[in-house]
Amino acid sequence: MFFINHFFCFHATADFLVISNNGASGDYPGCTDMAYTKAIQDGVDVLDCPVQMTKDGIPICLGSINLIQSTDIVRTGFSNLTETVPEIMQSSGIFTYNLSWSDIKSLKPVISSPQSQYKLFRNPKFQNAGKYLKLSEFLSMANTTSSLNGVLISIENAAYLAKQGFGVTDAVLKALNEAGYDKQTTQKVMIQSSSSSVLMKFKGKTNYQLVYKIDEDIGGAQSSTIDDIKRFASAVVISKDSVFPENSAFLASATDVVSRLQAANLSVLVQTFSNEFTSQAWDFFSDATVEINSFYAGAGINGVITDFPKTSDRYRRNRCLKRGNKTPTYMSPVQPGGLLQLVTTDYLPPAEAPKPYLTESDVVEPPLPPVAKTTSNS
């Protein structure tokens, strides 16, 4: 096993972005003030806010529209608000737009543990620490932090929310304008969505960078589809499996998704990088830094979206990245499929079907519906 995260030579910087995933959500409950403060301390470039709407029309930062996933709401008097909304998710939930901001503030945050099936739970000492922020409070925090390159605002479920009387895109634009982001050029603003209609809503109105999130694993993309994406975005977020497809935790191969998107002048961001050893393929030797190195030095990605910004920031300050022909062999990226070739026939995992190609029908959407008039918003 080789460890490339404890080298002696630091201070040079690799040219890729470190973007938080709900702040430093590996250390504190995501989207809380403590998670955001930790991400800033850990050297993050871009601080993210997934925007949700409250019953009283306030945009807030929360990793999911479903409060069950990030709060203790099932242990409170609001547990009877459970409902099933197929347009949002197949399972039932308690959604932010059914509670006021004061109600949500009364809930305890809960830290995420995406590897809990392996009995790996994050930071129990601070599992309920911190407080949630309105979008305006998030922007105020970011605007006064000189070390940040910018903010990423994520918007999902906009079409459904519009039908319920919530104009989330208008609320985001208003908050950004009131925070002065429409005039200042010190920090960039990235608007991210898996909905092309959301990004089209922002196109032409602002100079914000528009980021298209592909919310499924893909094995490639049609040229016409890439051309469609270029109409409304300058960057794309893809999954780790869309770069190095896995089969039973082994790297099976490598796709050409990154190179094809970059050839069309689209920046490629990859999610989600974590520190838990069970989140990495066996090929990466259960080392988060080996994984990052393979995606950056091997696949050439432009940025990472991570629960642990400190790990990515530490990696990119490694001067061994800048040594050209003298790069140490232990800095070589992992070769996809190499470890799988060592597995004897009797123990090989069954072959998996190839990932689907992204097509125009996956990308093209009708415009967002107008915001419905309701008693509450009138």
Side-chain angles (χ1 to χ4, degrees):
M1 182 180 297
F2 51 125
F3 300 89
I4 62 175
N5 52 340
H6 303 296
F7 296 145
F8 303 107
C9 39
F10 285 119
H11 306 304
T13 303
D15 53 350
F16 74 100
L17 279 178
V18 176
I19 303 172
S20 65
N21 179 49
N22 303 334
S25 55
D27 295 294
Y28 295 99
C31 297
T32 60
D33 56 342
M34 296 184 73
Y36 286 133
T37 299
K38 184 68 163 61
I40 293 168
Q41 292 170 349
D42 288 348
V44 75
D45 294 317
V46 179
L47 205 60
D48 75 304
C49 169
V51 172
Q52 315 299 340
M53 297 298 291
T54 67
K55 186 176 182 179
D56 42 352
I58 297 174
I60 65 173
C61 298
L62 201 63
S64 172
I65 193 172
N66 181 9
L67 289 161
I68 294 175
Q69 295 180 358
S70 56
T71 73
D72 69 338
I73 194 166
V74 293
R75 298 187 182 129
T76 71
F78 300 115
S79 59
N80 62 342
L81 296 177
T82 303
E83 61 177 335
T84 301
V85 182
E87 295 92 333
I88 295 178
M89 57 192 299
Q90 294 306 309
S91 57
S92 60
I94 303 174
F95 302 106
T96 59
Y97 56 80
N98 285 327
L99 277 79
S100 68
W101 172 230
S102 61
D103 292 335
I104 293 174
K105 283 196 299 182
S106 71
L107 303 174
K108 285 184 180 179
V110 175
I111 197 169
S112 66
S113 291
Q115 302 299 313
S116 59
Q117 70 268 34
Y118 302 108
K119 306 302 179 184
L120 295 176
F121 300 96
R122 290 175 169 174
N123 208 358
K125 182 178 179 180
F126 296 104
Q127 63 180 333
N128 301 117
K131 63 178 183 178
Y132 290 121
L133 303 176
K134 294 186 292 185
L135 175 58
S136 58
E137 294 170 329
F138 167 85
L139 293 173
S140 178
M141 169 188 280
N143 213 354
T144 55
T145 304
S146 59
S147 63
L148 287 177
N149 288 354
V151 295
L152 182 147
I153 309 299
S154 177
I155 301 173
E156 301 295 342
N157 305 304
Y160 177 79
L161 288 171
K163 295 174 184 177
Q164 309 307 308
F166 300 100
V168 59
T169 56
D170 293 334
V172 168
L173 279 168
K174 180 181 178 183
L176 286 167
N177 291 347
E178 290 178 348
Y181 277 90
D182 58 329
K183 300 180 179 65
Q184 62 104 350
T185 57
T186 305
Q187 292 184 358
K188 68 179 176 181
V189 175
M190 304 169 75
I191 304 294
Q192 174 188 298
S193 182
S194 61
S195 169
S196 60
S197 57
V198 168
L199 300 180
M200 289 295 290
K201 185 88 171 179
F202 283 86
K203 187 174 176 62
K205 291 185 177 180
T206 67
N207 60 352
Y208 303 150
Q209 182 179 10
L210 304 182
V211 182
Y212 183 57
K213 179 183 175 182
I214 300 174
D215 55 5
E216 62 178 336
D217 299 334
I218 60 171
Q222 298 173 348
S223 297
S224 56
T225 306
I226 296 175
D227 290 338
D228 278 331
I229 294 173
K230 286 179 61 179
R231 291 190 302 109
F232 56 80
S234 61
V236 178
V237 173
I238 59 176
S239 67
K240 292 191 293 187
D241 255 26
S242 298
V243 182
F244 297 131
E246 285 189 27
N247 184 357
S248 300
F250 291 97
L251 294 189
S253 60
T255 71
D256 64 353
V257 172
V258 174
S259 59
R260 295 203 64 218
L261 290 171
Q262 290 176 336
N265 294 320
L266 291 165
S267 297
V268 179
L269 311 172
V270 176
Q271 68 175 27
T272 304
F273 289 82
S274 301
N275 280 5
E276 290 92 350
F277 74 95
T278 52
S279 70
Q280 296 114 31
W282 298 121
D283 304 64
F284 299 129
F285 301 97
S286 300
D287 190 305
T289 310
V290 174
E291 180 183 46
I292 296 168
N293 183 60
S294 296
F295 276 88
Y296 172 68
I301 66 173
N302 300 107
V304 296
I305 298 173
T306 174
D307 302 334
F308 297 88
K310 188 173 185 176
T311 303
S312 296
D313 181 58
R314 180 177 57 197
Y315 162 75
R316 66 177 175 175
R317 290 185 290 112
N318 193 319
R319 291 194 311 186
C320 297
L321 293 169
K322 301 292 185 179
R323 299 191 65 186
N325 296 334
K326 296 181 180 179
T327 299
T329 55
Y330 50 74
M331 291 294 293
S332 300
V334 165
Q335 297 303 308
L339 188 59
L340 197 58
Q341 293 176 8
L342 303 178
V343 180
T344 58
T345 305
D346 292 342
Y347 294 96
L348 278 173
E352 293 187 341
K355 307 292 183 188
Y357 262 55
L358 192 71
T359 65
E360 290 181 70
S361 61
D362 297 320
V363 173
V364 178
E365 296 177 346
L368 287 178
V371 179
K373 296 294 184 182
T374 65
T375 303
S376 60
N377 66 16
S378 61

